[in-house]
Amino acid sequence: AALFTGDRAALTDSARAAAAQAGVDGFAELPRKFVISGHSAGGQLAAGASGYYYRFAPAAEKSDLVGVLLFDTSAAGGALAQALDELPATLPVLHIAAEPSFYDTYGDANDVLEAMRPGQFNGVRLIGGSHSDAFRSSTLGGLTQLLVSIGTGFSTPENVEADQVLASGWIADMFAGTVYG
């Protein structure tokens, strides 16, 4: 979480290195405003990092975090609940969930979001959704994607597209400040 505070030199250096490794030219600076996002256990990390960020960031920087987007994550371990205790109810924490399964501890993130933010829009559950809907990989000629899909379930093209469309739209809404109105 501390990487997102202050001058963010370490975070910027890391982003530059990733851009260079990916062959992206012209990387300048990271924007001040940001969304923290993660899939599965990465969603737990995203939630935890957002809570810690909000707890420790200087007051003038708290508004730089404009939202948290979770992809079929779990509430196991308590990171989501702890983050929601730290974050203002006006900061969007949205979840694109698959059908409840072992991989998302049977939908418990949805339960935590509803319990801690009752009556508030917290996201969607994709009908027939698979844990791998948000996971797309062409590594090793698609072998990684195949192995993940065998383990977690095969995604329908509609749910993969829904994940991408919802994420793009919600992130745009988070930056625009229009998720809740």
Side-chain angles (χ1 to χ4, degrees):
L3 291 172
F4 292 91
T5 62
D7 67 5
R8 303 195 296 182
L11 185 63
T12 301
D13 290 346
S14 177
R16 280 194 181 112
Q21 185 175 8
V24 175
D25 293 326
F27 179 84
E29 294 295 322
L30 294 171
R32 286 305 311 167
K33 304 283 185 186
F34 63 95
V35 171
I36 296 180
S37 179
H39 171 252
S40 193
Q44 293 172 329
L45 176 63
S50 68
Y52 281 112
Y53 173 82
Y54 209 82
R55 181 186 303 169
F56 296 115
E61 294 180 24
K62 289 186 189 300
S63 65
D64 289 347
L65 174 61
V66 297
V68 181
L69 180 56
L70 309 173
F71 296 94
D72 203 39
T73 197
S74 163
L80 177 59
Q82 291 170 5
L84 292 171
D85 278 340
E86 295 289 336
L87 300 171
T90 55
L91 183 81
V93 178
L94 301 180
H95 187 215
I96 302 174
E99 295 287 348
S101 72
F102 167 81
Y103 298 104
D104 62 11
T105 50
Y106 301 96
D108 66 350
N110 296 332
D111 299 335
V112 167
L113 283 161
E114 183 58 34
M116 296 185 74
R117 292 186 169 190
Q120 187 170 336
F121 179 72
N122 296 308
V124 299
R125 185 175 85 196
L126 300 176
I127 296 171
S130 166
H131 187 66
S132 59
D133 289 344
F135 182 91
R136 301 289 99 195
S137 175
S138 59
T139 303
L140 301 174
L143 181 61
T144 303
Q145 183 68 51
L146 176 64
L147 293 174
V148 168
S149 295
I150 288 170
T152 65
F154 288 87
S155 301
T156 66
E158 296 83 10
N159 281 343
V160 171
E161 182 178 4
D163 238 304
Q164 294 169 357
V165 168
L166 289 168
S168 296
W170 290 353
I171 289 170
D173 289 344
M174 289 173 181
F175 279 103
T178 58
V179 171
Y180 298 131

